[in-house]
Amino acid sequence: MVSMRTMMRRSTSLVFTYSEEDILVADKSGDVYTFSVQNGSQPGKLILGHLSMLLDVVVSKKDFLVTCDRDEKIRVSHYPNAYNIQCFCLGHQEFVSKLLYLEKEDLIASGSGDGTIRLWDYHTGQEKLCIECRENLDIAENDTKKTAILCLQYCAKHQIVAAVVSHHSVVLVYHVTFEDNHIHAELSKKIELLAEPWDISLHDGRLWVLQAIEGDTVQVYRILEGPVLQKVLPDSSKDKVLNAALTELNQKWNFFKESVGTETILPSLYKNKFDNIKPYLEKKQMRLEGKMTSVDRKTKGTLPPGGIKIKEHAAMGAKKRTADVISGGQDGHNVAAKSGKGS
């Protein structure tokens, strides 16, 4: 180990800069720190912050830092002056879980908890393509589970995007074409697996798949022209290094089985939405109806039940009080008169 760096909060993503002189680390509080690769004793420097949990971070070749968070936002900032924001890429309906930089096309790809993959012009924030992954999955009508993009990979040579979707034991492979500023994607292959994949990787013309199956933990698919994906079987490839790697990895089940049953944090990132507008409108309507009833009563001169009796009693009481006052006044006058006469 060369060095160990300390973070204030749990890290959620990290990436090397294109110069490979620094490491950018995002944490769960929404901050991004930069660490020097050469100087292990130098503390991390805070360069930007979000108001929500950061889930991924990538750096473009043109000195742009792209971050995504739980609040459906993709933020494009200049690097290293990350306080200078270029734009926001807005369109996802749920948290943005994955980002990819397509260097050849100079685009950003994103995967989200809404089950879509989107391509963006990160200079302007314009959405260029939206792939609805749910349309390519076998989902029952009564299935209410939400689908999130767990893994996202891109191969520039064959122009394919590979994705892993939560709750489904498949890898979706899309062929993406770029023609005259128009981008089109179609499903090239759906790889059926026995378990939900842990991770995937596209490297050197091959798709690597990691799954929780003993004896078949690692699968490799060779990408041919078309594109066509061909599964590489152990001892069937002319590449002796590849055969040895596959055999060795698939014999290390004791190492991989510790991760069986480990849950991701993605299900907890969905926000619980409460509809408090409907009860508010209902109560408001009841109040309005009550006021209208009161106004109608005043306008029509109607009285509530028992109102006539109350009015009669009030009138009788008023007459009685008036008579008592008059009677009391006369008695007082008489008394005063008699007293004056006697003196």
Side-chain angles (χ1 to χ4, degrees):
M1 184 174 66
V2 177
S3 65
M4 181 174 63
R5 317 299 172 87
T6 303
M7 294 287 295
M8 296 294 294
R9 294 174 179 82
R10 180 174 61 84
S11 303
T12 56
S13 180
L14 63 86
V15 65
F16 282 89
T17 60
Y18 258 83
S19 64
E20 298 185 352
E21 296 179 354
D22 299 298
I23 303 174
L24 301 176
V25 185
D27 66 18
K28 63 179 297 184
S29 66
D31 297 329
V32 176
Y33 292 84
T34 176
F35 291 88
S36 172
V37 174
Q38 299 295 330
N39 190 353
S41 61
Q42 183 177 346
K45 178 183 177 182
L46 177 65
I47 60 173
L48 69 82
H50 282 234
L51 296 178
S52 182
M53 180 190 298
L54 280 178
L55 299 178
D56 206 359
V57 54
V58 296
V59 181
S60 76
K61 195 173 182 179
K62 297 182 178 180
D63 294 331
F64 283 100
L65 173 61
V66 187
T67 51
C68 63
D69 61 22
R70 188 187 180 190
D71 289 339
E72 307 96 33
K73 297 193 304 296
I74 300 173
R75 171 178 164 178
V76 183
S77 309
H78 290 263
Y79 181 79
N81 300 323
Y83 54 81
N84 188 359
I85 300 176
Q86 174 73 11
C87 65
F88 286 91
C89 302
L90 305 176
H92 283 295
Q93 302 302 312
E94 293 288 351
F95 58 86
V96 185
S97 53
K98 290 295 178 182
L99 291 175
L100 275 180
Y101 174 54
L102 282 55
E103 181 177 351
K104 182 179 179 181
E105 293 78 13
D106 196 28
L107 297 172
I108 290 292
S110 62
S112 169
D114 59 12
T116 64
I117 301 171
R118 301 174 191 251
L119 268 60
W120 308 88
D121 179 353
Y122 66 91
H123 298 279
T124 62
Q126 181 183 5
E127 180 183 307
K128 307 296 288 186
L129 176 69
C130 178
I131 303 174
E132 292 281 355
C133 294
R134 291 180 61 89
E135 296 178 355
N136 306 119
L137 299 171
D138 299 327
I139 302 177
E141 294 182 359
N142 59 350
D143 190 354
T144 59
K145 293 181 180 179
K146 296 182 179 180
T147 54
I149 306 300
L150 300 178
C151 306
L152 195 61
Q153 291 288 305
Y154 178 71
C155 175
K157 179 180 179 181
H158 298 281
Q159 294 183 330
I160 64 172
V161 173
V164 174
V165 184
S166 61
H167 308 300
H168 293 276
S169 302
V170 298
V171 177
L172 300 177
V173 181
Y174 296 93
H175 182 218
V176 184
T177 56
F178 304 85
E179 296 179 357
D180 300 330
N181 295 324
H182 178 72
I183 306 176
H184 177 71
E186 62 179 357
L187 183 67
S188 177
K189 186 175 182 60
K190 182 165 68 173
I191 302 175
E192 303 282 350
L193 302 171
L194 297 178
E196 183 178 319
W198 278 331
D199 202 359
I200 58 173
S201 177
L202 279 169
H203 178 69
D204 196 21
R206 298 186 181 95
L207 172 65
W208 295 71
V209 181
L210 182 65
Q211 60 177 346
I213 299 296
E214 183 176 1
D216 195 21
T217 310
V218 179
Q219 292 186 2
V220 179
Y221 294 83
R222 185 181 291 107
I223 305 173
L224 306 176
E225 293 297 329
V228 176
L229 275 73
Q230 182 183 63
K231 185 176 181 180
V232 177
L233 300 175
D235 301 327
S236 65
S237 175
K238 297 180 181 180
D239 190 338
K240 295 182 179 180
V241 176
L242 178 60
N243 288 334
L246 270 176
T247 303
E248 182 69 18
L249 290 171
N250 286 319
Q251 291 176 353
K252 298 291 185 180
W253 177 246
N254 289 333
F255 172 78
F256 290 109
K257 70 179 183 180
E258 299 297 329
S259 299
V260 175
T262 303
E263 297 182 358
T264 66
I265 66 169
L266 294 188
S268 65
L269 298 179
Y270 287 101
K271 298 178 181 178
N272 295 323
K273 299 179 180 179
F274 301 94
D275 183 12
N276 58 353
I277 300 298
K278 186 177 179 180
Y280 165 75
L281 293 177
E282 291 176 351
K283 292 181 179 180
K284 183 177 180 180
Q285 184 64 27
M286 293 173 62
R287 290 196 300 270
L288 289 174
E289 290 176 355
K291 290 181 179 180
M292 290 299 294
T293 303
S294 177
V295 171
D296 290 342
R297 287 174 179 172
K298 292 179 179 179
T299 302
K300 295 179 181 180
T302 58
L303 293 171
I308 297 175
K309 294 182 179 180
I310 294 173
K311 188 174 182 179
E312 289 177 354
H313 289 311
M316 292 175 63
K319 290 180 180 179
K320 185 177 180 182
R321 288 193 296 273
T322 303
D324 291 342
V325 171
I326 295 172
S327 176
Q330 291 176 351
D331 293 343
H333 177 75
N334 295 334
V335 171
K338 290 180 180 180
S339 176
K341 186 177 180 180
S343 60

